[in-house]
Amino acid sequence: MELTIHTRTAGTRTVVDVGGEIDMYTATSLRERILQLLREGVTALAIDVNQVEFCDSTGLGVFIGASRRLREMNGSLIIVCARPQMLKIFQLTGLDKVLDIRDSLPTDG
Amino acid sequence: MELTIHTRTAGTRTVVDVGGEIDMYTATSLRERILQLLREGVTALAIDVNQVEFCDSTGLGVFIGASRRLREMNGSLIIVCARPQMLKIFQLTGLDKVLDIRDSLPTDG
Amino acid sequence: MATVRFGFTPAPVHVRTARLVAASVAQQARLSPDLLDEVRQAAGEACTRAVARHRRHGVDALVRMKFAIGARFVAEVADFAPVTRTDMLDDAADSMELAAGPTDEDTLTEEVALTLLSGLVADLQVMDAPNGIGSTVRMSWPL
Amino acid sequence: MATVRFGFTPAPVHVRTARLVAASVAQQARLSPDLLDEVRQAAGEACTRAVARHRRHGVDALVRMKFAIGARFVAEVADFAPVTRTDMLDDAADSMELAAGPTDEDTLTEEVALTLLSGLVADLQVMDAPNGIGSTVRMSWPL
Ligand SMILES: Nc1ncnc2c1ncn2[C@@H]1O[C@H](COP(=O)(O)OP(=O)(O)O)[C@@H](O)[C@H]1O
Ligand SMILES: Nc1ncnc2c1ncn2[C@@H]1O[C@H](COP(=O)(O)OP(=O)(O)O)[C@@H](O)[C@H]1O
């Protein structure tokens, strides 16, 4: 299954809605899309992964890279995730302690 | 997908309804079921393959074997098939000229 | 040129995985969607024939399937069973021969598989190993 | 004991087929359905790590995956990239290290893959080749 990427705005935050499979084959296009948003000046980003069917270490690497870049820019990254399968891989890698993971988008954007 | 095999009677003919995938892995159970019917004295047989999703050479081999045995017993075999994908493999092997293939069960049973 | 290999103990259950592999590799190589079913069936038939040959001759060695993705999509399935005189004469029997033909299941499967492959695949070669041990079915499709 | 092998040119697209193969072989080996997702993900992670290692070191050789179906379901994924000192130190980094860690994508992928595998698979071994060329991820599950 291919990856789908849609971008929208919620308050002051830019939200990237991701769906399908994030793996070594598709992660590049997600990474590129995020880098492009940062180049365009986005500093408040959310990545909504609730429609993601499968995510591997390459996908986690994209989240880590985005988080690191935004921290350097004093920006912020929220991962929106309520899917047990995805939460499990964040927990297994301990990334739930490093990334700001919420079950829904905060209403303040 | 697994093979399903159901047996029913239509007039004087015994009908075997087959569904799923007939391949080297599942063909044995179909072959055994048919041999059992012949041992029980069935001489007028129909095999309805309209619910078959996939059939390989092993499946064709089962039809050939059944046809040969029934001919030796002066019995008869009808293959009920209206599915283009299945008709194609009967045609490609020339078995449409050797087997009695009908698009529906004859009303005389 | 990309290569994908799949090898398996000659048991019927693994032929199912072989069909999955063939369809997946062909799809990812961007083979025309119209040809995917043909590739899946053809790879399955070649593997079925190989397993039948190994079983008939009691050969435990792995059956090997190989895909090469280049100018064309090439699939090769190799078995390691002895090539007997009968095998050679019986290649791609016609339907009357099939109907009257061998009663041993594995031999019948081998013949039906070859007959089906001949009808299905435009570019098909069946090669016997020069040393008499093993045969290879080679097929290709445009990319 | 049945064996299934899958080998592929180190390109990301074939890792998808590798996951299909792992799930199909595990299902046909009658592995508990609860474990199928774990096997699929774990085999995919091991292959992803191998492809990242080949890519980082410019190695074209095929990545190899092998399944053995016996008392347990054993999966092995072998790469043929040089084992560097860093690789050994960085095995299964913790999350703080990952977050602060390597910026090169392939190195990051390798570390995250190992960390995920360590969390996911109870019986996991990562072995470096004695000659310094290549490493093997070995995993097993009950049947
Ligand atoms: N499909 C396969 N599955 C498993 N092993 C294979 C497969 N094809 C080849 N091999 C192994 O790879 C090695 C190279 O085989 P070879 O026949 O020389 O490959 P090629 O067909 O690419 O020339 C051999 O040692 C063989 O055991
Ligand atoms: N997954 C695989 N894909 C393709 N070829 C393989 C694979 N695994 C092993 N081979 C080939 O099979 C042959 C036997 O390899 P070896 O490493 O001795 O197998 P094993 O791991 O079973 O001992 C080698 O020539 C190798 O090229």
Side-chain angles (χ1 to χ4, degrees):
Chain A
M1 207 225 241
E2 294 307 312
L3 190 71
T4 58
I5 305 174
H6 296 287
T7 309
R8 61 185 161 100
T9 307
T12 56
R13 197 171 283 277
T14 299
V15 184
V16 180
D17 291 303
V18 191
E21 300 198 343
I22 317 180
D23 65 6
M24 197 176 214
Y25 185 59
T26 59
T28 309
S29 60
L30 180 60
R31 187 186 296 113
E32 289 307 319
R33 185 76 190 95
I34 290 169
L35 287 178
Q36 190 194 334
L37 291 171
L38 301 193
R39 278 195 302 270
E40 288 169 4
V42 169
T43 53
L45 186 68
I47 306 176
D48 184 329
V49 296
N50 278 321
Q51 302 304 315
V52 171
E53 308 283 340
F54 179 83
C55 178
D56 75 0
S57 48
T58 331
L60 296 180
V62 173
F63 305 146
I64 293 170
S67 153
R68 191 186 290 158
R69 280 205 173 70
L70 280 159
R71 209 177 317 115
E72 285 165 8
M73 299 161 62
N74 288 313
S76 82
L77 173 68
I78 292 175
I79 306 284
V80 182
C81 179
R83 226 189 153 87
Q85 217 187 329
M86 280 291 295
L87 288 173
K88 189 180 169 195
I89 69 167
F90 285 123
Q91 280 153 15
L92 287 174
T93 48
L95 288 172
D96 57 335
K97 296 185 210 83
V98 177
L99 298 171
D100 183 1
I101 301 172
R102 317 268 185 104
D103 56 9
S104 61
L105 202 61
T107 44
D108 65 347
Chain B
M1 208 226 242
E2 294 307 311
L3 191 71
T4 59
I5 305 174
H6 296 288
T7 308
R8 62 186 160 99
T9 307
T12 55
R13 198 172 282 278
T14 299
V15 184
V16 180
D17 292 303
V18 190
E21 300 198 344
I22 316 180
D23 65 6
M24 198 176 214
Y25 185 58
T26 60
T28 309
S29 59
L30 180 60
R31 187 186 298 114
E32 290 307 320
R33 186 76 190 95
I34 290 170
L35 286 178
Q36 189 194 333
L37 291 172
L38 302 193
R39 278 195 302 270
E40 287 170 5
V42 169
T43 53
L45 187 69
I47 306 176
D48 185 329
V49 296
N50 278 322
Q51 303 305 316
V52 170
E53 308 283 340
F54 179 84
C55 178
D56 76 0
S57 48
T58 331
L60 296 179
V62 172
F63 304 147
I64 293 170
S67 153
R68 191 187 289 158
R69 279 204 175 71
L70 280 160
R71 209 177 318 114
E72 285 165 8
M73 299 160 63
N74 289 313
S76 82
L77 173 68
I78 292 175
I79 307 284
V80 182
C81 179
R83 224 189 154 89
Q85 217 188 331
M86 280 290 295
L87 288 173
K88 188 179 168 193
I89 68 167
F90 286 124
Q91 279 153 14
L92 286 174
T93 48
L95 288 172
D96 56 335
K97 297 186 207 83
V98 176
L99 298 172
D100 184 1
I101 301 172
R102 318 268 184 104
D103 56 9
S104 61
L105 202 61
T107 44
D108 65 347
Chain C
M1 195 170 69
T3 302
V4 176
R5 282 179 178 166
F6 181 71
F8 57 100
T9 296
V13 68
H14 302 306
V15 175
R16 310 195 122 189
T17 306
R19 290 200 301 268
L20 272 183
V21 169
S24 174
V25 175
Q27 189 178 18
Q28 281 147 10
R30 309 215 176 285
L31 197 83
S32 161
D34 306 345
L35 292 174
L36 288 182
D37 273 343
E38 182 174 317
V39 168
R40 192 170 81 102
Q41 177 119 25
E45 294 300 339
C47 289
T48 294
R49 171 179 176 274
V51 172
R53 285 175 49 71
H54 279 219
R55 190 158 66 179
R56 183 154 66 89
H57 293 281
V59 176
D60 291 335
L62 304 198
V63 169
R64 291 183 196 167
M65 177 164 73
K66 188 167 87 175
F67 301 95
I69 305 156
R72 292 176 66 86
F73 182 80
V74 181
E76 277 182 26
V77 176
D79 71 73
F80 301 91
V83 180
T84 56
R85 194 131 190 285
T86 341
D87 293 338
M88 294 189 262
L89 292 175
D90 284 345
D91 276 3
D94 76 20
S95 59
M96 294 302 163
E97 285 167 7
L98 289 180
T103 46
D104 142 57
E105 280 154 30
D106 284 331
T107 309
L108 181 61
T109 296
E110 286 172 48
E111 295 195 5
V112 180
L114 270 191
T115 304
L116 192 47
L117 281 170
S118 313
L120 201 59
V121 183
D123 180 21
L124 171 76
Q125 285 170 273
V126 182
M127 296 163 288
D128 295 326
N131 66 357
I133 302 296
S135 67
T136 298
V137 173
R138 188 182 184 283
M139 307 172 277
S140 85
W141 291 270
L143 275 179
Chain D
M1 196 170 70
T3 302
V4 176
R5 283 179 177 164
F6 182 72
F8 58 100
T9 295
V13 68
H14 301 307
V15 175
R16 311 195 122 190
T17 305
R19 289 201 300 268
L20 271 184
V21 169
S24 175
V25 175
Q27 189 178 17
Q28 280 146 12
R30 310 215 177 284
L31 197 83
S32 160
D34 305 345
L35 292 175
L36 288 182
D37 273 343
E38 182 174 317
V39 169
R40 193 171 80 103
Q41 177 118 26
E45 294 301 337
C47 289
T48 294
R49 171 179 176 275
V51 172
R53 285 175 48 72
H54 279 219
R55 190 158 65 179
R56 183 154 66 89
H57 293 282
V59 175
D60 292 335
L62 305 197
V63 169
R64 291 184 197 167
M65 177 166 72
K66 187 167 87 175
F67 300 95
I69 305 155
R72 292 177 67 86
F73 182 79
V74 181
E76 276 182 26
V77 176
D79 71 72
F80 301 92
V83 179
T84 56
R85 194 132 190 287
T86 341
D87 294 337
M88 292 188 265
L89 291 175
D90 284 346
D91 275 4
D94 76 19
S95 59
M96 293 303 163
E97 286 168 5
L98 289 180
T103 47
D104 142 58
E105 279 154 29
D106 284 332
T107 310
L108 181 61
T109 295
E110 287 172 48
E111 295 194 7
V112 180
L114 270 191
T115 305
L116 191 46
L117 281 170
S118 313
L120 201 59
V121 182
D123 179 21
L124 171 77
Q125 285 170 271
V126 182
M127 297 164 286
D128 295 326
N131 65 357
I133 302 296
S135 67
T136 297
V137 174
R138 189 182 183 284
M139 307 172 276
S140 84
W141 291 269
L143 275 180

